[in-house]
Amino acid sequence: MRFDGVLSGWNHAAGYGSIRPAGGGDELFVALGAFPTDGLGPRLDEPLSFEVVTGRDGRKQAVNLKRLPAGAHAMALREATGVGHARVQRAHRKRRLGLAAGAVVTVMLVMGGVHWWPHGSPADVPPAMRR
């Protein structure tokens, strides 16, 4: 039997994450090998269709994942209730903050490694070239 849900967490270094079923319930473990081999990596909040099996360790896990169209994303989020929806909102906020922090660090690294004045320091610039 197939279920729908969204990818609620992902550890890129370890290659596994969790899926929140659209109808509610406990999150399920999912491994990288369960994703389709279409060249796209896992993306947070991505709508997915999956089957559930019990793994060797006794935990339920998602297998045979299929990517759902973008319209299914909004429906899956609407069906998620309570804590799950708040978690999605936190994930969006973290992603935005992470991108902003990455941009700041990049600018700082670039500024630190580039000399902004053509002849050493601003004091060394001839008066005719100053604005």
Side-chain angles (χ1 to χ4, degrees):
M1 181 173 186
R2 294 200 72 81
F3 299 94
D4 291 346
V6 292
L7 186 65
S8 58
W10 189 257
N11 183 334
H12 287 284
Y16 64 84
S18 59
I19 293 179
R20 185 182 62 252
D26 294 336
E27 292 191 353
L28 301 167
F29 174 84
V30 62
L32 183 60
F35 280 85
T37 56
D38 55 6
L40 300 175
R43 296 180 309 263
L44 279 181
D45 304 326
E46 175 181 17
L48 300 165
S49 172
F50 56 93
E51 296 175 9
V52 178
V53 298
T54 303
R56 285 184 272 163
D57 59 358
R59 293 189 305 173
K60 293 186 187 263
Q61 63 184 33
V63 295
N64 298 328
L65 272 63
K66 292 184 180 177
R67 298 179 194 278
L68 294 176
H73 178 69
M75 184 178 73
L77 286 177
R78 273 196 304 273
E79 290 177 6
T81 58
V83 176
H85 183 67
R87 185 176 189 163
V88 170
Q89 296 303 321
R90 282 194 305 272
H92 283 299
R93 191 168 36 253
K94 277 185 178 178
R95 193 170 333 150
R96 283 193 306 268
L97 291 174
L99 291 174
V104 169
V105 169
T106 302
V107 169
M108 289 174 64
L109 289 173
V110 169
M111 288 177 64
V114 174
H115 297 285
W116 293 100
W117 298 100
H119 305 288
S121 72
D124 297 336
V125 176
M129 294 181 66
R130 294 183 193 161
R131 289 187 181 190

